[in-house]
Amino acid sequence: MGKKKLNEVQPVNSLKDSEYILVTMEDGSIGRIKKSELMPFNGCEHKSFTWVDQGWYRIAYSIHTARMNAAIFNIGNTYNTSKPLNSCFYLAGSGYELRIVNKIGQIGDLFNKVRFVYKEIPNTDLYIDIYYNSSRNNNIWCSISNSLNLRLITPFIVNEESLNGYLIEEFEL
């Protein structure tokens, strides 16, 4: 059986769990690749939510403390109770050493600090928190791109007592 072109394939009405992902080749033919052969997530994603209380919010995590974690973050608010403000920054580091945050651009000081929350122990989570510098209710948009081993989560305000043995390295934006 020869290769089929994309327009020659029957429509798919439902998907079943599989170890393979179908791909479209440059010439229009279709193929498949094992999920295990794909690179770890390195795309982009965004989330929106409402923040009310001033404080630290957990926005991302990695389950690979020992690996390099890096991404570009862009976080801002919509015009709700205050004018739109934004912070964009590059973040890289591990749970062991060499953590950096470089500000790419910023309008206002609504998001003025970011921190790594980590343990210097393999196979522990590494978290990224950002400081929300307002006591006003705001609709927040957060995006992550060019990510190595980091994923956005649905943010929540961090209770400082819940850090339980984790170390913190904080950066001003």
Side-chain angles (χ1 to χ4, degrees), residues 101-117:
V101 173
N102 288 331
K103 179 170 63 173
I104 296 170
Q106 187 170 14
I107 299 172
D109 66 347
L110 192 58
F111 311 98
N112 59 354
K113 295 186 271 187
V114 65
R115 68 184 182 186
F116 285 84
V117 180

Side-chain angles (χ1 to χ4, degrees), residues 7-159:
N7 61 355
E8 299 171 343
V9 178
Q10 293 289 359
V12 176
N13 296 321
S14 67
L15 296 174
K16 295 181 181 175
D17 195 19
S18 169
E19 66 179 297
Y20 291 96
I21 295 175
L22 292 177
V23 295
T24 304
M25 310 305 263
E26 285 183 16
D27 67 358
S29 63
I30 57 173
R32 66 183 187 168
I33 186 170
K34 281 189 171 188
K35 288 180 184 177
S36 62
E37 294 175 3
L38 293 174
M39 291 179 59
F41 176 82
N42 65 354
C44 62
E45 61 181 322
H46 73 275
K47 294 185 181 291
S48 63
F49 27 83
T50 301
W51 288 355
V52 177
D53 299 317
Q54 184 173 15
W56 288 101
Y57 283 80
R58 179 133 314 140
I59 61 171
Y61 80 100
S62 172
I63 59 170
H64 303 292
T65 300
R67 294 184 185 172
M68 179 53 65
N69 297 277
I72 296 173
F73 288 85
N74 197 353
I75 186 165
N77 67 303
T78 59
Y79 189 78
N80 186 19
T81 58
S82 63
K83 62 185 174 191
L85 302 171
N86 155 279
S87 290
C88 184
F89 56 94
Y90 170 76
L91 174 145
S94 72
Y96 291 101
E97 61 182 331
L98 303 174
R99 288 168 292 280
I100 64 164
V101 173
N102 288 331
K103 179 170 63 173
I104 296 170
Q106 187 170 14
I107 299 172
D109 66 347
L110 192 58
F111 311 98
N112 59 354
K113 295 186 271 187
V114 65
R115 68 184 182 186
F116 285 84
V117 180
Y118 63 96
K119 286 186 178 181
E120 293 177 328
I121 302 170
N123 301 319
T124 57
D125 294 338
L126 177 137
Y127 302 104
I128 305 301
D129 297 346
I130 192 157
Y131 192 77
Y132 176 60
N133 191 25
S134 177
S135 56
R136 293 176 143 183
N137 179 2
N138 265 305
N139 295 325
I140 309 298
W141 286 86
C142 185
S143 71
I144 185 174
S145 62
N146 300 344
S147 175
L148 294 174
N149 298 315
L150 285 168
R151 294 298 303 258
L152 283 181
I153 60 173
T154 300
F156 59 91
I157 197 156
V158 179
N159 177 346

